[in-house]
Amino acid sequence: MIRRIIQIDEEKCNGCGLCANACHEGAIGMVNGKARLLRDDYCDGLGDCLPSCPTGAITFVEREAAAYDEQAVLARKEQKDKSAHPFSCPGSMSRTLEHPDVLETSVTTPAASHLSQWPVQIKLAPLSAPYFKDAHLLIAADCSAYAYGRFHQDFIRGKVTLIGCPKLDAIDYSEKLTEILRQNDIKAVTIVRMEVPCCGGLEVAAKKALQASGKFIPWQVVTLSIDGRILE
């Protein structure tokens, strides 16, 4: 049948993977570092992936394609959900962490941790927890703490921390972040990302969640260079 479907220009694709994360149906995957439409029958033609592409590599075309198979998509999602966490890891138990007051560290003294809760991975975090009450939420790319030397002192201190990598995690962060913002009294949000294009997915997910939460929550974005400088 002739229908509207996406087309990906591999010349323009920079391999960031944001479109694959944005495609809830699983029609897009990464092959040899480039986004590719894997199955015509998984593409609904609505184009949720289009606004996520930073290079404009995705467009609509009218061509011969298999009909959209909603049942197959739902079955895939159900299977994915079942296999995502086949067992419960004791290490993912929610807990609040406390640290004694410490003086500013020097080169010769150990750096103090300012992490206030566990777990920190977005995909493992609970939707609601006591430590979210009146919290300043830090949503950070997991590379950022390695690039920026004073990450605990300048970003984690005084905040509840959630980290993730949109290129490595095959989930849509925006849905879970939306529920965390809806179900808890979050006072402010800071998004810390790296300058690399694939990190844009974290910023996009956080902004979508802020908008979808229906709340007015002050927020800011901090971008770090790969050599550890604050760019904005």
Side-chain angles (χ1 to χ4, degrees):
M1 62 182 296
I2 303 294
R3 70 181 185 94
R4 188 170 81 155
I5 197 167
I6 66 160
Q7 176 174 277
I8 302 173
D9 185 340
E10 291 194 6
E11 292 289 326
K12 293 182 178 180
C13 176
N14 67 1
C16 68
L18 299 181
C19 58
N21 286 336
C23 180
H24 302 292
E25 290 73 28
I28 301 175
M30 303 303 295
V31 179
N32 296 325
K34 296 286 186 178
R36 183 176 298 177
L37 178 61
L38 302 179
R39 291 188 54 158
D40 287 0
D41 59 338
Y42 279 12
C43 178
D44 58 11
L46 297 179
D48 286 347
C49 55
L50 267 70
S52 69
C53 180
T55 63
I58 305 175
T59 55
F60 280 122
V61 295
E62 296 278 343
R63 65 168 175 84
E64 183 72 28
Y68 173 59
D69 190 341
E70 183 177 10
Q71 292 305 312
V73 170
L74 292 175
R76 174 194 167 278
K77 287 183 178 179
E78 183 177 357
Q79 183 61 36
K80 183 179 177 182
D81 290 341
K82 287 181 179 179
S83 62
H85 299 287
F87 56 87
S88 178
C89 171
S92 65
M93 182 184 300
S94 297
R95 65 193 74 178
T96 299
L97 305 178
E98 296 183 1
H99 303 282
D101 292 336
V102 294
L103 298 176
E104 186 70 18
T105 57
S106 69
V107 176
T108 59
T109 58
S113 172
H114 292 282
L115 189 66
S116 64
Q117 98 294 336
W118 188 266
V120 295
Q121 287 285 344
I122 296 173
K123 61 183 179 181
L124 297 179
L127 296 180
S128 182
Y131 50 72
F132 281 131
K133 181 174 174 57
D134 297 329
H136 187 149
L137 186 63
L138 171 66
I139 302 172
D142 53 10
C143 297
S144 57
Y146 294 94
Y148 188 78
R150 289 179 50 88
F151 198 81
H152 272 253
Q153 298 96 317
D154 294 353
F155 293 112
I156 291 181
R157 181 165 53 185
K159 301 180 181 68
V160 169
T161 303
L162 296 179
I163 67 170
C165 175
K167 192 167 187 177
L168 298 181
D169 289 340
I171 57 175
D172 181 5
Y173 291 144
S174 64
E175 296 177 2
K176 186 164 191 177
L177 292 174
T178 297
E179 289 306 310
I180 289 174
L181 295 175
R182 281 176 176 168
Q183 296 185 30
N184 301 279
D185 189 13
I186 303 296
K187 295 301 184 185
V189 173
T190 296
I191 305 158
V192 179
R193 55 162 295 182
M194 301 300 297
E195 62 177 330
V196 294
C198 57
C199 222
L202 186 70
E203 181 179 346
V204 169
K207 288 180 177 179
K208 284 174 62 177
L210 285 161
Q211 184 176 20
S213 71
K215 297 180 178 180
F216 178 75
I217 302 175
W219 60 274
Q220 63 171 329
V221 178
V222 179
T223 301
L224 303 177
S225 69
I226 59 175
D227 61 355
R229 294 173 294 112
I230 295 179
L231 299 179
E232 57 181 67

